[in-house]
Amino acid sequence: MKLIIAATLAASAAAFAPSQVAQSSTALNAFENEVGAQQPLGFFDPLGLVSDGNEANFDRLRYVEIKHGRVAMLAVVGYLIEEAGVRLPGEISYDGTTFADIPSGFDALSAIPQAGLLQIMLFAGVLELFVMQDVTGEGEHVGDFRNGALDYGWDTFDEETKLQKRGIELNQGRAAMMGILA
């Protein structure tokens, strides 16, 4: 019995021993200093999607990450608002179904009439194709969709503040993407 306890303690102690950190390749190091590569993980690419160091591929994935993060942040706010009991007045369809009749979360997908789901997908498609893009080519970075129209003081910030705010947006988007799945 003492042997089993000693073996268990030795095995569990190994979990707290310092591990050897392998040197990463130069292709992986190409993105170590990008916005979003923050402690404690640094640059995290467990699937090796940009292990070849392809900048265009990285920019495309970052563009998608920012866009999905923004949508997820809106989804979390919408979820919290409707969980608080705030609903639109009136009916969602001609059959008398009211907005208050639609349940919360993923259950709402089966309760919304098919025409309503089609409208939601059509609206998302219009946003994807015509709105959520750098139409003018004036974007300072990947995901900058201001298109010369919206500023809200962004141009008044120094470069360090801009980088900090972009990192905050990435982290908030990542948290929202995980949170909306819960």
Side-chain angles (χ1 to χ4, degrees), residues 22-147:
Q23 292 291 345
S24 54
S25 69
T26 51
L28 184 61
N29 287 338
F31 305 115
E32 276 294 324
N33 295 323
E34 290 291 330
V35 173
Q38 298 164 332
Q39 294 299 326
L41 293 177
F43 180 69
F44 186 64
D45 183 22
L47 299 178
L49 297 175
V50 290
S51 60
D52 59 353
N54 185 338
E55 185 76 28
N57 190 25
F58 177 81
D59 286 345
R60 170 69 182 146
L61 291 172
R62 176 55 51 93
Y63 168 80
V64 171
E65 179 183 20
I66 290 170
K67 190 172 1 177
H68 286 121
R70 289 173 180 167
V71 170
M73 286 187 274
L74 289 172
V76 167
V77 169
Y79 182 82
L80 294 174
I81 286 173
E82 66 105 21
E83 274 294 314
V86 178
R87 301 292 177 105
L88 292 173
E91 298 176 349
I92 192 169
S93 67
Y94 294 120
D95 68 359
T97 305
T98 64
F99 285 101
D101 294 336
I102 305 297
S104 303
F106 287 113
D107 293 336
L109 293 176
S110 61
I112 296 175
Q114 214 170 20
L117 288 175
L118 182 64
Q119 290 173 9
I120 292 170
M121 287 188 219
L122 195 65
F123 180 67
V126 167
L127 288 177
E128 177 78 25
L129 294 174
F130 301 111
V131 178
M132 299 292 286
Q133 294 185 12
D134 182 14
V135 178
T136 62
E138 299 174 1
E140 291 181 18
H141 53 83
V142 175
D144 183 1
F145 302 140
R146 291 178 296 155
N147 294 315

